[in-house]
Amino acid sequence: MGPGIVILFSLFGVLNGQGGKQISIDECCKDGRVRGIDNQDCTAIPLISESTTCRIVQEQCCAAVLEDNICTSGINMAKEQGVCDTQFTGSTCETKTAKMCCDCCLLGRAAREHGLTCDHSLSLGYQCGLVSRACCDDGAPDVETRNSLVSDKVNETLTEKENPLPNNMCSSGLANCAQECVGNSTCACFKGYKLKPDGKNCEDINECLLGASNCRGGEHCINTVGSFRCQREVSCGTGYELTDSNNCKDIDECESGTHNCSPDFECQNTQGSFRCLPKNQCGDGYIQDAMGSCIDINECLAQTEPCRPGQLCMNTMGSFTCQRNSINCGRGYHLNDGGNRCVDIDECKGPDGACAGHGCINLVGSFRCECKAGFIFNSISRICEDINECRHYPGRLCAHKCENVLGSYKCSCTQGFKLASDGRNCDDLNECESSPCSQECANVYGSYQCYCRRGYQLSDIDGINCEDIDECALPTGGHICSYRCNNTPGSFYCTCPATGYTLAPNGRSCQDVDECVTGTHTCSVTESCFNVQGGFRCLSFECPPNYRQAGEIRARVERSDTIRCVKSCQPNDIGCVLDPVHSISHTVISLPTFREFTKPEEIVFLRTMSPAHSSPQLSSDIVFDILEGNVQNSFDIVKRQEHGMIVGVVRQVKPLIGSLNMVLKLAMNYVTSGVVSHRNIVNVHIFVSEFWF
């Protein structure tokens, strides 16, 4: 940005301002910089001149100040906090510029910390390179020199300025300025510095970032403390050296003796190089090569028509001669024996002739070949060339693949097909004839498909062999058989427990054997047989004293049967009469081991003769209770109304793992006015099988 403004200065010295007032480029730039310091919008600042050049200078000088401030904030962030990523977020142009200057400053500081040169050769952007070198040079160990330089500048400035007013704070030393005091305690800075916001200390101005350097094209600016320096971006190149004035000067290799001319050559300096000229000179008709040797000049080629018409030029060493023309016969002709006339050459003579085995026809001054089938005559090379029928007639000669051979072609088929008798078409190949599959094979067009019998599956590896399906190991294998699944090659079979079950007609389920019905039980005549899942139980129920059994003893007890003992007191037995228990009943139930227990299972229903809605004057109720045998609280009892009567429902609320036998003692309490008037006891004999079926 800076060099462009300098060029504008040189092109336009004075511009016409508003009202015809002459405004210089400097004033345009100064106005733009003032508005940049005030953080105004550089694209909408008031114009001080109608000149387009002044407007451009205003906007660019304003933008330079804003960009310098943004870049300076990024550099200060790098110097003070040493991080950039978490400080500058967002995608605005200002944020990107600040983060770029912060990152590039960190790069320069890193180079300094690792002892690297500040003028690195990284291909960075121009502004990034300037910031990196400025931050690198900023921490270089030259503090003493800088302090002495500042002191010299202070002394020199103080001697040049007039003495301040008598009661000035500058004279009393109270101003505490870092560099110089200009009166009324106002601090100022030397050239190359600018005053910090505290009004006392000074900081270096980065002329490179501000574009205030005067570096020429091909040079890049390097900021220094209080100033800057220009350095060439590209070296002078071979044959040149850099002078103290930053210019490239030609190296005289002949004078410095750095040439490589041999003793037979003389060195002649040129710009950026030199030449070796031979000391010995060649005569007429010769030319010297790079090694100084004399080479004959072919005047017949180097000169245009060196001889008169009708003469032939003959080159000689160092010269040439002219001779009369001799007869030259064209292609297809040769001189006769007398040497005075051209006659036709018969190219077809000889064992093979000119057509290499093909038919040959001689022509005057030429010949023609009659090529065999599958060949074509090339009039340029004059030979018979093979015709690539596959390329000339694609898809028309062969059904599948065409292969060119010398003088003809050959058809072939893709895999799964065979060449037909006509040599062009392809017929399907029945691969199943060679029995490629381990079990069953189905021929398809151009291929074949293997498949397996029931109970087998095709191998995923080769797609040919059949592997047995282990039905018992399938995800549903546990549900194929009720009890146990046994795999066999190509099939499976189910088995049941050794005793108490038999296999159902479907071959999968296990059916309980009712030993009480088949008569295979071992119960005595005084015992009742009760069939349970997978077996049987011999039951004997005896009524306790003061109770008698209602009904006869049964040889076989069903699930719904109840053996009931009713109270029968002896005369004058007051204790028996006052006992609230009126009856003791026994019922039997067989349960499986539930494989999937998801909700309570209702197993016993205690039905009463009491209506669900009794008279309010009676204030009676029935209370059901579990007295004994509730293992792990696996059961509960709830009261329900069915058909207008009160019913107690016993539910299994937790799973039980068999085999397990238990007696659940239940009580039906008849309560009147809050007092149990009488009670019926029900003993539920529960047999839990170890199987779920």
Side-chain angles (χ1 to χ4, degrees):
M1 185 184 299
I5 296 175
V6 173
I7 294 174
L8 290 175
F9 290 170
S10 63
L11 293 177
F12 309 100
V14 177
L15 302 173
N16 290 326
Q18 297 177 353
K21 180 183 177 182
Q22 299 293 326
I23 299 177
S24 66
I25 290 293
D26 289 332
E27 292 175 332
C28 297
C29 183
K30 182 178 179 180
D31 180 82
R33 294 181 62 84
V34 169
R35 300 185 185 279
I37 295 174
D38 294 336
N39 290 323
Q40 296 185 19
D41 186 359
C42 294
T43 61
I45 58 177
L47 303 180
I48 63 174
S49 172
E50 297 178 355
S51 170
T52 302
T53 303
C54 184
R55 176 187 60 79
I56 295 174
V57 172
Q58 276 185 279
E59 292 180 355
Q60 295 304 316
C61 289
C62 174
V65 172
L66 292 179
E67 185 176 358
D68 180 47
N69 293 337
I70 294 170
C71 187
T72 302
S73 65
I75 295 174
N76 293 336
M77 182 66 69
K79 293 181 179 179
E80 295 171 1
Q81 299 188 15
V83 293
C84 301
D85 293 337
T86 59
Q87 304 299 327
F88 300 104
T89 58
S91 59
T92 63
C93 182
E94 292 79 6
T95 302
K96 292 181 179 179
T97 300
K99 186 175 183 304
M100 182 274 292
C101 292
C102 183
D103 289 337
C104 296
C105 184
L106 289 180
L107 182 63
R109 291 167 65 91
R112 185 192 68 223
E113 292 172 2
H114 290 81
L116 303 176
T117 176
C118 295
D119 297 330
H120 50 72
S121 60
L122 298 177
S123 299
L124 303 175
Y126 183 72
Q127 187 175 14
C128 182
L130 296 179
V131 172
S132 174
R133 284 187 288 270
C135 290
C136 180
D137 293 332
D138 184 49
D142 58 349
V143 178
E144 295 182 359
T145 305
R146 177 181 176 181
N147 291 338
S148 63
L149 178 61
V150 171
S151 300
D152 293 340
K153 287 185 177 181
V154 171
N155 295 333
E156 181 181 352
T157 304
L158 291 178
T159 57
E160 291 177 356
K161 291 186 176 292
E162 296 181 357
N163 292 331
L165 297 175
N167 295 324
N168 196 326
M169 294 181 68
C170 294
S171 60
S172 61
L174 298 178
N176 196 20
C177 296
Q179 291 190 0
E180 62 178 341
C181 182
V182 297
N184 289 333
S185 69
T186 302
C187 297
C189 299
F190 300 141
K191 182 179 180 181
Y193 296 87
K194 64 181 178 181
L195 201 62
K196 286 188 175 181
D198 59 7
K200 297 181 181 294
N201 295 305
C202 298
E203 61 181 354
D204 173 55
I205 296 175
N206 192 332
E207 295 84 356
C208 299
L209 291 180
L210 296 178
S213 66
N214 57 356
C215 295
R216 297 172 296 179
E219 298 177 342
H220 66 82
C221 176
I222 299 177
N223 187 59
T224 60
V225 178
S227 183
F228 64 93
R229 62 186 176 88
C230 300
Q231 181 174 310
R232 287 180 59 87
E233 293 182 343
V234 183
S235 63
C236 291
T238 305
Y240 294 89
E241 60 182 354
L242 189 65
T243 64
D244 294 337
S245 60
N246 209 30
N247 293 318
C248 292
K249 176 185 177 183
D250 172 58
I251 299 174
D252 191 343
E253 295 85 355
C254 299
E255 182 179 351
S256 60
T258 57
H259 62 86
N260 58 353
C261 297
S262 62
D264 296 334
F265 287 80
E266 181 180 357
C267 178
Q268 179 183 359
N269 184 62
T270 60
Q271 285 294 320
S273 184
F274 63 93
R275 291 182 179 178
C276 296
L277 303 178
K279 296 180 179 179
N280 297 326
Q281 301 297 323
C282 296
D284 295 337
Y286 293 89
I287 189 174
Q288 281 184 322
D289 61 7
M291 301 303 296
S293 302
C294 294
I295 300 175
D296 173 56
I297 298 175
N298 190 341
E299 293 84 357
C300 297
L301 297 177
Q303 299 180 18
T304 302
E305 297 182 357
C307 297
R308 291 179 297 176
Q311 292 182 337
L312 178 65
C313 178
M314 302 291 295
N315 184 62
T316 60
M317 292 302 297
S319 184
F320 67 97
T321 59
C322 295
Q323 299 178 356
R324 290 187 59 188
N325 281 330
S326 60
I327 299 176
N328 291 322
C329 297
R331 181 178 179 181
Y333 296 88
H334 65 98
L335 285 174
N336 60 0
D337 295 337
N340 56 359
R341 187 166 56 91
C342 292
V343 295
D344 173 57
I345 299 175
D346 189 355
E347 294 88 352
C348 296
K349 286 185 177 179
D352 295 328
C355 296
H358 296 272
C360 181
I361 299 177
N362 185 58
L363 302 174
V364 177
S366 182
F367 68 94
R368 178 169 57 85
C369 294
E370 292 288 342
C371 299
K372 300 178 182 178
F375 294 86
I376 188 172
F377 183 69
N378 189 326
S379 59
I380 298 176
S381 61
R382 308 186 69 78
I383 60 174
C384 290
E385 296 179 344
D386 173 54
I387 299 175
N388 190 334
E389 295 85 356
C390 301
R391 183 181 299 171
H392 279 74
Y393 313 102
R396 296 165 58 186
L397 301 178
C398 301
H400 284 189
K401 295 188 294 184
C402 178
E403 180 183 355
N404 185 63
V405 296
L406 189 64
S408 184
Y409 64 94
K410 181 173 65 175
C411 296
S412 59
C413 301
T414 57
Q415 186 177 1
F417 295 88
K418 61 182 179 180
L419 197 63
S421 57
D422 60 4
R424 298 176 59 185
N425 294 303
C426 294
D427 296 334
D428 175 52
L429 178 65
N430 190 353
E431 295 87 352
C432 295
E433 294 178 352
S434 60
S435 302
C437 303
S438 63
Q439 287 189 2
E440 303 296 335
C441 177
N443 183 61
V444 296
Y445 188 72
S447 184
Y448 67 95
Q449 178 65 49
C450 296
Y451 63 96
C452 303
R453 304 184 188 100
R454 183 177 180 181
Y456 294 87
Q457 63 183 359
L458 203 61
S459 172
D460 293 333
I461 299 176
D462 54 17
I464 295 176
N465 294 304
C466 293
E467 301 172 345
D468 172 53
I469 299 175
D470 189 353
E471 295 84 356
C472 302
L474 295 175
T476 58
H479 300 278
I480 293 178
C481 299
S482 297
Y483 177 58
R484 184 167 295 162
C485 178
N486 302 275
N487 185 60
T488 59
S491 184
F492 69 96
Y493 67 92
C494 300
T495 57
C496 296
T499 59
Y501 292 93
T502 182
L503 195 63
N506 62 11
R508 297 187 180 188
S509 303
C510 291
Q511 292 179 341
D512 174 56
V513 177
D514 193 341
E515 293 84 358
C516 300
V517 175
T518 60
T520 56
H521 63 84
T522 58
C523 299
S524 64
V525 294
T526 60
E527 295 176 324
S528 299
C529 178
F530 177 70
N531 182 66
V532 298
Q533 291 172 293
F536 65 93
R537 296 290 185 273
C538 296
L539 306 178
S540 177
F541 302 106
E542 295 182 359
C543 294
N546 296 324
Y547 291 87
R548 62 178 175 80
Q549 182 172 336
E552 299 178 353
I553 298 176
R554 302 176 184 178
R556 175 168 169 264
V557 179
E558 297 289 345
R559 174 170 178 166
S560 59
D561 292 343
T562 301
I563 294 88
R564 190 163 177 262
C565 297
V566 296
K567 185 166 66 171
S568 178
C569 298
Q570 298 296 326
N572 302 323
D573 189 347
I574 302 302
C576 176
V577 174
L578 297 178
D579 187 356
V581 179
H582 283 192
S583 67
I584 300 175
S585 302
H586 296 271
T587 186
V588 186
I589 186 171
S590 176
L591 298 175
T593 295
F594 287 104
R595 183 163 59 177
E596 295 179 358
F597 193 88
T598 58
K599 62 180 181 178
E601 188 78 15
E602 299 178 352
I603 59 174
V604 177
F605 295 87
L606 303 178
R607 303 187 185 277
T608 69
M609 300 303 295
S610 300
H613 304 286
S614 59
S615 176
Q617 291 78 12
L618 298 177
S619 66
S620 61
D621 193 9
I622 298 178
V623 178
F624 299 95
D625 193 12
I626 300 177
L627 302 179
E628 297 177 4
N630 193 359
V631 178
Q632 300 176 359
N633 294 322
S634 300
F635 302 91
D636 68 358
I637 184 168
V638 295
K639 186 164 63 174
R640 186 185 299 169
Q641 298 178 11
E642 289 186 3
H643 306 293
M645 297 297 178
I646 297 176
V647 178
V649 181
V650 180
R651 305 183 307 173
Q652 181 181 351
V653 296
K654 291 183 180 179
L656 292 173
I657 307 300
S659 62
L660 183 65
N661 301 333
M662 65 182 69
V663 179
L664 195 63
K665 187 174 182 179
L666 309 176
M668 300 171 58
N669 299 304
Y670 293 83
V671 180
T672 303
S673 299
V675 179
V676 177
S677 60
H678 64 277
R679 173 184 297 168
N680 292 335
I681 301 298
V682 179
N683 294 309
V684 181
H685 298 261
I686 301 174
F687 301 96
V688 182
S689 171
E690 64 175 311
F691 306 110
W692 64 273
F693 45 83

